Each structure stands twice: as structure tokens, then as C-alpha cells.
Amino acid sequence: MTILEQTVAAIRPADPAALAEARAHQDRLTKPRGALGVLEEVAVRLAGAAAVNPPPLPAPAALAIFAADHGVHAQGVTPWPQEVTVQMVGNFLAGGAVANAFAAQTGASVTVVDVGVAADLAPAPGLTISKVAHGTADLSLGPAMTVAQAVAALEAGIAVARDLVDRGARCLITGDMGIANTTASAALICAFTGHDAEAVTGRGTGVDDETLARKIEVVRRALRVNRLDAGAGGADASGLPSPDALKTLAAVGGLEHAALAGFVLGGAALGVPVILDGVIAGSAALAAAALAPDVVDHCVAGHRSAEPGHAVALDHLGLRPLVELELRLGEGTGGLLAHPLVCAAVRVMHEVATFDSAGVTDKEA
């Protein structure tokens, strides 16, 4: 079996016994039932994913920022020049980005992964070079990647997940960097959910009306040129990665999307929760779920971004975001902000007394 096949085969659905035990445990804690709202759902979710109650504390956390460039940039879908991708990689490595500040706040490590930056990067502390190609081809003219390139990027993401967990991470957070990557994200969301391009394509870095209209048409053209039917992809009957899902990811995804999908799959296979960031991570998670549906049980939606496609992706995945602050930066910023909430949800399960242990009278049934 390939690394991808081994990883998919290792992913298990949420454990029903652990889910039931966690729900019962929540109801015995010294608080009104349901008083912690969504945090209770998060704690139960992580118990099911870990197959134990209470679940392990999801700390320390590790952020991986996957960086890549996109051939569709040539279609004028963003006013930002492509060289900003490599410049921002340098900013991450120097500690000067918003993601670095948020990571310092939550105590997360930061790893930058070059999976497809158009330029050749020099080795540097904190940088993992896993370059599959110098950017993708133009998805509006044909497939952005070959299937072999998509698999290579998926396996690069799996390798990063394994390495970070080996180094002690107990929670993985998705991050991304790639000028024009919201265009590829919109195409992926359309392909995997069946929604129209106008409903899921947003302004990204803040484009004007003219550029947004062009971006929507580019997404539609990409789907048409690549002959992608609504709701493409999915796991086949064998449980192995679906050729249709791989083809869809290769056709309209980016190298960082494929690597992020592998990162999510890798964390799930190792039983480590993955906090998803924004629309780039959401679209990558759709690809991961098409390859291995049970992967969703191991994911937490960190936030809901201002991009319309992100809400569509989360609804399709059945995930409820923890934070909604109209963020549209990427980098892992929303996932980092959500990490303390995820930790708090689990800490309740470990540290809050039950009615019996505290000698507190429960309400009458």
C-alpha cells in the first residue's frame, strides 16, 4: 500500500461508546446540562475521536503553513503579485506575520512547508521543503496538477503531520499561503458540493466588483474545462482513496490544498485532533473527506471566514465553527484563535467535579 492508502486505512470513525460516556459525563458535571453550549459538543467530539473519555488535552499545538503558487494567477483573479507568496514565507520564518503573533499567544509551534512555491527557497530554521512543483498549471485551461502531483502533495502533508506528532504535538492546526488560492478553493467547493460559482466565490484579499466577476467566470470555466460534475469524488466501495476524488483535487486544487488534505488525513490517522482554519482549509477538508469520510470526526472548525464558500464547505462537512469574527486572512489565524477554546472544552472534562464528587445536589429529573 502507498503512504496515502495506509493513512486512509488507519482512520477510524468516532467511537460510539466514548461518545456516549462523554455525553453522560457532561451531564454529571456541576453545571446545568448544556450550559457550556458548543464547548460541550467539542469535548464530546474529541472523546469520540480519541475513543476515550475524557479525551487527551489537545496541547501542545502545532501550526503548519503550507505555501504554494497558482497558475490561475495569470487570469487576473487578484491584484496581488505572485511574488508575495515567497515574501510572506520569509515573513513567517522571521516571526513577523499575524499567524506568528497568534501562535505565540497560544503557545503553538510554527512550521512553514514549501510544497509548491514558484521560487526556489533556501533552507532555513522552521522551513520544510517538500516542493512537488513550482506552482500549479492554470486550472481554467486544464488540470492544475497531474494526479501523481496531487498524491505527492497529499503525502507531503501526511509526512508533516507525522513529524509534528512525533515531536510531541497533540493538536494540529492548518495554515496556508498562496496568492490566488481562494480561486482554487472556490472551484474545489463547487466540485465537491455542487454549488454554483457565484454562491461560493468571494473577494479573497478584497478584490473589486470587476475582479470578482472575472474570478467567478474563471471558476466556472475551470469546472467546465475539467468536466467536473456536481458533487464529484468520494470514497469507493473498497474504502481506498477514490480515483474521482483524486482527479477532482488534481484538476482544480492547489498544491497547498492537496498538502492540507494530507495533513488532515495524517492527523486523523494518528488520533490527533485537527483544527481547521478558513476557506482554504475548508476546501481541502472537503477533498480529505471525499478520500476518507471518517476524517471529519477528527476535525474541529476553528472559525467561519468572511468568504461565502467557507460556510458552504462547513455545512457540507457538518461542522460548526467556534469563532466568527469576519476573518479572511488565512495563515491559520482563525484556527489559532480557536485553540484555547478547544483546550478549555477538554479541560472541563478533566477538572470539573461531578455532582456526586462535590456533594452538590442535582436538580430533580
Side-chain angles (χ1 to χ4, degrees):
M1 298 177 73
T2 66
I3 292 171
L4 177 59
E5 290 170 342
Q6 290 170 357
T7 302
V8 168
I11 297 172
R12 298 288 179 265
D15 182 76
L19 288 172
E21 186 178 342
R23 292 190 185 102
H25 185 73
Q26 282 281 359
D27 289 345
R28 293 194 302 270
L29 298 178
T30 49
K31 60 177 180 57
R33 289 170 177 80
L36 292 179
V38 177
L39 293 184
E40 295 188 15
E41 298 175 16
V42 171
V44 170
R45 184 178 193 83
L46 266 60
V52 64
N53 178 67
L57 286 170
L63 168 69
I65 303 174
F66 293 91
D69 283 305
H70 297 261
V72 75
H73 181 275
Q75 298 299 323
V77 293
T78 174
W80 291 83
Q82 193 169 68
E83 56 264 29
V84 170
T85 299
V86 69
Q87 292 167 354
M88 281 302 300
V89 168
N91 195 26
F92 295 135
L93 295 174
V98 175
N100 299 105
F102 286 1
Q105 175 71 23
T106 196
S109 65
V110 179
T111 300
V112 183
V113 185
D114 172 12
V115 73
V117 178
D120 289 318
L121 304 181
L127 175 65
T128 298
I129 299 177
S130 302
K131 195 187 297 287
V132 174
H134 288 76
T136 56
D138 186 343
L139 57 82
S140 71
L141 303 178
M145 299 175 275
T146 65
V147 170
Q149 287 175 327
V151 170
L154 279 158
E155 293 188 344
I158 292 168
V160 172
R162 289 178 175 179
D163 179 61
L164 292 175
V165 173
D166 283 347
R167 287 194 271 154
R170 293 300 174 260
C171 181
L172 302 179
I173 303 175
T174 67
D176 66 89
M177 181 63 221
I179 297 301
N181 63 7
T182 58
T183 301
S185 296
L188 284 171
I189 293 167
C190 287
F192 283 115
T193 71
H195 280 69
D196 182 71
E198 187 171 3
V200 306
T201 307
R203 296 182 183 274
T205 51
V207 301
D208 59 20
D209 290 346
E210 180 182 353
T211 305
L212 177 61
R214 180 164 56 249
K215 187 176 177 181
I216 292 169
E217 179 51 38
V218 166
V219 172
R220 286 179 174 151
R221 186 162 71 244
L223 297 169
R224 189 167 58 247
V225 166
N226 287 289
R227 297 184 174 89
L228 291 176
D229 296 328
D236 65 17
S238 69
L240 296 175
S242 164
D244 287 341
L246 289 172
K247 182 180 177 182
T248 299
L249 177 59
V252 294
L255 288 158
E256 78 269 46
H257 294 87
L260 281 165
F263 186 66
V264 174
L265 292 168
L270 294 168
V272 173
V274 181
I275 302 179
L276 303 176
D277 191 40
V279 69
I280 313 303
S283 62
L286 288 173
L291 292 165
D294 291 332
V295 76
V296 180
D297 290 346
H298 301 264
C299 296
V300 174
H303 79 121
R304 177 162 54 209
S305 80
E307 286 290 292
H310 193 209
V312 171
L314 293 180
D315 286 346
H316 191 83
L317 293 165
L319 295 175
R320 183 171 179 175
L322 291 181
V323 177
E324 188 165 3
L325 297 172
E326 300 180 6
L327 305 177
R328 54 180 177 86
L329 177 58
E331 303 180 3
T333 48
L336 289 164
L337 287 174
H339 179 249
L341 296 176
V342 178
C343 289
V346 174
R347 192 170 292 278
V348 165
M349 302 287 275
H350 284 266
E351 299 181 9
V352 174
T354 64
F355 285 104
D356 289 341
S357 68
V360 175
T361 303
D362 195 357
K363 72 173 184 177
E364 295 181 3

